[in-house]
mmCIF file of all heavy atoms in Angstrom:
data_model
loop_
_atom_site.group_PDB
_atom_site.id
_atom_site.type_symbol
_atom_site.label_atom_id
_atom_site.label_comp_id
_atom_site.label_asym_id
_atom_site.label_seq_id
_atom_site.Cartn_x
_atom_site.Cartn_y
_atom_site.Cartn_z
ATOM 1 N N LEU A 177 -12.443 -3.668 0.518
ATOM 2 C CA LEU A 177 -12.515 -2.460 1.301
ATOM 3 C C LEU A 177 -13.144 -2.602 2.732
ATOM 4 O O LEU A 177 -13.945 -3.462 2.989
ATOM 5 C CB LEU A 177 -13.337 -1.273 0.565
ATOM 6 C CG LEU A 177 -13.001 -1.055 -0.954
ATOM 7 C CD1 LEU A 177 -13.830 0.046 -1.456
ATOM 8 C CD2 LEU A 177 -11.456 -0.576 -0.870
ATOM 9 N N THR A 178 -12.656 -1.740 3.709
ATOM 10 C CA THR A 178 -13.263 -1.724 4.972
ATOM 11 C C THR A 178 -13.757 -0.221 5.170
ATOM 12 O O THR A 178 -14.960 0.044 4.801
ATOM 13 C CB THR A 178 -12.320 -2.101 6.099
ATOM 14 O OG1 THR A 178 -11.070 -1.381 5.927
ATOM 15 C CG2 THR A 178 -11.991 -3.521 6.038
ATOM 16 N N THR A 179 -12.962 0.683 5.766
ATOM 17 C CA THR A 179 -13.444 2.063 6.031
ATOM 18 C C THR A 179 -12.940 2.886 4.854
ATOM 19 O O THR A 179 -13.221 4.259 4.931
ATOM 20 C CB THR A 179 -12.927 2.576 7.318
ATOM 21 O OG1 THR A 179 -11.443 2.490 7.350
ATOM 22 C CG2 THR A 179 -13.452 1.907 8.504
ATOM 23 N N ASP A 180 -12.428 2.444 3.836
ATOM 24 C CA ASP A 180 -11.945 3.209 2.603
ATOM 25 C C ASP A 180 -13.254 3.834 2.091
ATOM 26 O O ASP A 180 -14.301 3.381 2.052
ATOM 27 C CB ASP A 180 -11.377 2.185 1.539
ATOM 28 C CG ASP A 180 -10.375 1.364 2.008
ATOM 29 O OD1 ASP A 180 -10.544 0.497 3.015
ATOM 30 O OD2 ASP A 180 -9.192 1.340 1.539
ATOM 31 N N THR A 181 -12.961 5.047 1.472
ATOM 32 C CA THR A 181 -14.000 5.769 0.801
ATOM 33 C C THR A 181 -13.924 5.605 -0.693
ATOM 34 O O THR A 181 -14.822 6.137 -1.447
ATOM 35 C CB THR A 181 -13.920 7.363 1.158
ATOM 36 O OG1 THR A 181 -12.743 7.844 0.512
ATOM 37 C CG2 THR A 181 -13.971 7.567 2.608
ATOM 38 N N CYS A 182 -12.857 4.991 -1.179
ATOM 39 C CA CYS A 182 -12.647 4.775 -2.623
ATOM 40 C C CYS A 182 -11.849 3.663 -2.982
ATOM 41 O O CYS A 182 -11.037 3.076 -2.028
ATOM 42 C CB CYS A 182 -12.181 6.012 -3.255
ATOM 43 S SG CYS A 182 -10.440 6.471 -2.687
ATOM 44 N N THR A 183 -12.001 3.043 -4.137
ATOM 45 C CA THR A 183 -10.959 2.078 -4.590
ATOM 46 C C THR A 183 -9.637 2.698 -5.010
ATOM 47 O O THR A 183 -9.618 3.846 -5.358
ATOM 48 C CB THR A 183 -11.622 1.194 -5.726
ATOM 49 O OG1 THR A 183 -11.821 2.122 -6.847
ATOM 50 C CG2 THR A 183 -12.829 0.498 -5.326
ATOM 51 N N LYS A 184 -8.626 1.890 -5.005
ATOM 52 C CA LYS A 184 -7.224 2.346 -5.477
ATOM 53 C C LYS A 184 -6.584 1.438 -6.370
ATOM 54 O O LYS A 184 -6.490 0.206 -6.190
ATOM 55 C CB LYS A 184 -6.393 2.434 -4.165
ATOM 56 C CG LYS A 184 -7.070 3.371 -3.022
ATOM 57 C CD LYS A 184 -6.522 3.043 -1.655
ATOM 58 C CE LYS A 184 -7.176 3.847 -0.597
ATOM 59 N NZ LYS A 184 -8.516 3.312 -0.304
ATOM 60 N N GLN A 185 -6.242 1.951 -7.581
ATOM 61 C CA GLN A 185 -5.775 1.155 -8.600
ATOM 62 C C GLN A 185 -4.777 1.880 -9.575
ATOM 63 O O GLN A 185 -4.932 3.191 -9.600
ATOM 64 C CB GLN A 185 -6.819 0.507 -9.366
ATOM 65 C CG GLN A 185 -7.770 1.333 -10.190
ATOM 66 C CD GLN A 185 -8.804 2.045 -9.363
ATOM 67 O OE1 GLN A 185 -9.386 1.392 -8.462
ATOM 68 N NE2 GLN A 185 -9.084 3.344 -9.490
ATOM 69 N N ILE A 186 -3.986 1.170 -10.266
ATOM 70 C CA ILE A 186 -3.091 1.850 -11.207
ATOM 71 C C ILE A 186 -2.473 0.789 -12.032
ATOM 72 O O ILE A 186 -2.348 -0.418 -11.584
ATOM 73 C CB ILE A 186 -2.020 2.793 -10.635
ATOM 74 C CG1 ILE A 186 -1.258 3.482 -11.812
ATOM 75 C CG2 ILE A 186 -1.024 1.881 -9.752
ATOM 76 C CD1 ILE A 186 -0.216 4.522 -11.255
ATOM 77 N N ALA A 187 -2.060 0.964 -13.266
ATOM 78 C CA ALA A 187 -1.287 -0.007 -14.071
ATOM 79 C C ALA A 187 -0.329 0.788 -14.910
ATOM 80 O O ALA A 187 -0.518 1.975 -15.236
ATOM 81 C CB ALA A 187 -2.215 -0.900 -14.856
ATOM 82 N N VAL A 188 0.754 0.004 -15.341
ATOM 83 C CA VAL A 188 1.770 0.583 -16.245
ATOM 84 C C VAL A 188 2.128 -0.432 -17.240
ATOM 85 O O VAL A 188 1.946 -1.648 -17.129
ATOM 86 C CB VAL A 188 3.150 1.021 -15.451
ATOM 87 C CG1 VAL A 188 2.821 2.157 -14.408
ATOM 88 C CG2 VAL A 188 3.698 -0.121 -14.910
ATOM 89 N N GLN A 189 2.566 0.041 -18.411
ATOM 90 C CA GLN A 189 2.982 -0.761 -19.524
ATOM 91 C C GLN A 189 4.276 -0.329 -20.083
ATOM 92 O O GLN A 189 4.510 0.911 -20.106
ATOM 93 C CB GLN A 189 2.006 -0.822 -20.593
ATOM 94 C CG GLN A 189 0.704 -1.793 -20.278
ATOM 95 C CD GLN A 189 -0.212 -1.902 -21.432
ATOM 96 O OE1 GLN A 189 -0.378 -0.976 -22.205
ATOM 97 N NE2 GLN A 189 -0.906 -3.074 -21.475
ATOM 98 N N PHE A 190 5.207 -1.279 -20.495
ATOM 99 C CA PHE A 190 6.397 -0.905 -21.070
ATOM 100 C C PHE A 190 6.964 -2.127 -21.886
ATOM 101 O O PHE A 190 6.241 -3.076 -21.950
ATOM 102 C CB PHE A 190 7.504 -0.521 -20.039
ATOM 103 C CG PHE A 190 7.406 -1.500 -18.864
ATOM 104 C CD1 PHE A 190 8.247 -2.672 -18.884
ATOM 105 C CD2 PHE A 190 6.650 -1.203 -17.749
ATOM 106 C CE1 PHE A 190 8.265 -3.400 -17.859
ATOM 107 C CE2 PHE A 190 6.589 -2.082 -16.676
ATOM 108 C CZ PHE A 190 7.484 -3.229 -16.735
ATOM 109 N N THR A 191 8.074 -2.013 -22.580
ATOM 110 C CA THR A 191 8.552 -2.988 -23.352
ATOM 111 C C THR A 191 9.853 -3.516 -22.854
ATOM 112 O O THR A 191 10.803 -2.739 -22.618
ATOM 113 C CB THR A 191 8.714 -2.570 -24.860
ATOM 114 O OG1 THR A 191 7.450 -2.100 -25.323
ATOM 115 C CG2 THR A 191 9.258 -3.684 -25.710
ATOM 116 N N ILE A 192 9.979 -4.888 -22.788
ATOM 117 C CA ILE A 192 11.240 -5.488 -22.400
ATOM 118 C C ILE A 192 11.479 -6.686 -23.430
ATOM 119 O O ILE A 192 10.651 -7.438 -23.675
ATOM 120 C CB ILE A 192 11.153 -6.085 -21.075
ATOM 121 C CG1 ILE A 192 11.221 -4.869 -19.936
ATOM 122 C CG2 ILE A 192 12.406 -7.088 -20.720
ATOM 123 C CD1 ILE A 192 11.211 -5.337 -18.509
ATOM 124 N N ASP A 193 12.710 -6.703 -23.991
ATOM 125 C CA ASP A 193 13.028 -7.800 -24.977
ATOM 126 C C ASP A 193 12.062 -7.662 -26.070
ATOM 127 O O ASP A 193 11.809 -8.750 -26.734
ATOM 128 C CB ASP A 193 13.001 -9.119 -24.359
ATOM 129 C CG ASP A 193 14.132 -9.310 -23.244
ATOM 130 O OD1 ASP A 193 15.260 -8.686 -23.452
ATOM 131 O OD2 ASP A 193 13.968 -10.009 -22.275
ATOM 132 N N GLY A 194 11.629 -6.555 -26.400
ATOM 133 C CA GLY A 194 10.660 -6.446 -27.597
ATOM 134 C C GLY A 194 9.164 -6.968 -27.223
ATOM 135 O O GLY A 194 8.345 -6.955 -28.064
ATOM 136 N N LYS A 195 8.949 -7.345 -25.940
ATOM 137 C CA LYS A 195 7.697 -7.887 -25.493
ATOM 138 C C LYS A 195 7.006 -6.739 -24.635
ATOM 139 O O LYS A 195 7.596 -6.088 -23.887
ATOM 140 C CB LYS A 195 7.779 -9.047 -24.720
ATOM 141 C CG LYS A 195 8.631 -10.123 -25.405
ATOM 142 C CD LYS A 195 7.899 -10.816 -26.465
ATOM 143 C CE LYS A 195 8.634 -12.006 -27.100
ATOM 144 N NZ LYS A 195 7.913 -12.614 -28.161
ATOM 145 N N LYS A 196 5.592 -6.667 -24.782
ATOM 146 C CA LYS A 196 4.928 -5.621 -24.088
ATOM 147 C C LYS A 196 4.692 -6.360 -22.622
ATOM 148 O O LYS A 196 4.167 -7.436 -22.493
ATOM 149 C CB LYS A 196 3.618 -5.361 -24.504
ATOM 150 C CG LYS A 196 2.754 -4.257 -23.823
ATOM 151 C CD LYS A 196 1.572 -3.870 -24.528
ATOM 152 C CE LYS A 196 0.448 -4.882 -24.668
ATOM 153 N NZ LYS A 196 -0.694 -4.181 -25.414
ATOM 154 N N VAL A 197 5.079 -5.599 -21.601
ATOM 155 C CA VAL A 197 4.964 -6.127 -20.133
ATOM 156 C C VAL A 197 4.126 -5.025 -19.443
ATOM 157 O O VAL A 197 4.159 -4.041 -19.611
ATOM 158 C CB VAL A 197 6.322 -6.165 -19.456
ATOM 159 C CG1 VAL A 197 6.252 -6.466 -18.096
ATOM 160 C CG2 VAL A 197 7.249 -7.157 -20.278
ATOM 161 N N SER A 198 3.140 -5.696 -18.652
ATOM 162 C CA SER A 198 2.358 -4.880 -17.856
ATOM 163 C C SER A 198 2.423 -5.210 -16.263
ATOM 164 O O SER A 198 2.715 -6.320 -15.872
ATOM 165 C CB SER A 198 0.768 -5.106 -18.240
ATOM 166 O OG SER A 198 0.636 -4.929 -19.588
ATOM 167 N N ILE A 199 2.310 -4.160 -15.532
ATOM 168 C CA ILE A 199 2.038 -4.339 -14.126
ATOM 169 C C ILE A 199 0.896 -3.708 -13.578
ATOM 170 O O ILE A 199 0.665 -2.458 -13.995
ATOM 171 C CB ILE A 199 3.317 -3.681 -13.323
ATOM 172 C CG1 ILE A 199 4.645 -4.261 -13.789
ATOM 173 C CG2 ILE A 199 3.273 -3.879 -11.826
ATOM 174 C CD1 ILE A 199 5.831 -3.554 -13.276
ATOM 175 N N GLY A 200 0.108 -4.299 -12.950
ATOM 176 C CA GLY A 200 -1.158 -3.669 -12.343
ATOM 177 C C GLY A 200 -1.242 -3.783 -10.842
ATOM 178 O O GLY A 200 -0.629 -4.762 -10.322
ATOM 179 N N GLY A 201 -1.804 -2.900 -10.219
ATOM 180 C CA GLY A 201 -1.981 -2.907 -8.707
ATOM 181 C C GLY A 201 -3.198 -2.372 -8.205
ATOM 182 O O GLY A 201 -3.852 -1.507 -8.777
ATOM 183 N N THR A 202 -3.680 -2.974 -7.092
ATOM 184 C CA THR A 202 -4.802 -2.545 -6.321
ATOM 185 C C THR A 202 -4.564 -2.584 -4.810
ATOM 186 O O THR A 202 -3.858 -3.590 -4.405
ATOM 187 C CB THR A 202 -6.066 -3.501 -6.660
ATOM 188 O OG1 THR A 202 -6.444 -3.326 -8.015
ATOM 189 C CG2 THR A 202 -7.315 -3.211 -5.861
#
Side-chain angles (χ1 to χ4, degrees):
L177 304 182
T178 50
T179 57
D180 307 61
T181 65
C182 62
T183 59
K184 304 162 184 74
Q185 64 281 319
I186 187 175
V188 298
Q189 288 185 322
F190 45 88
T191 300
I192 289 180
D193 296 326
K195 308 288 187 178
K196 183 168 70 175
V197 175
S198 303
I199 304 175
T202 294

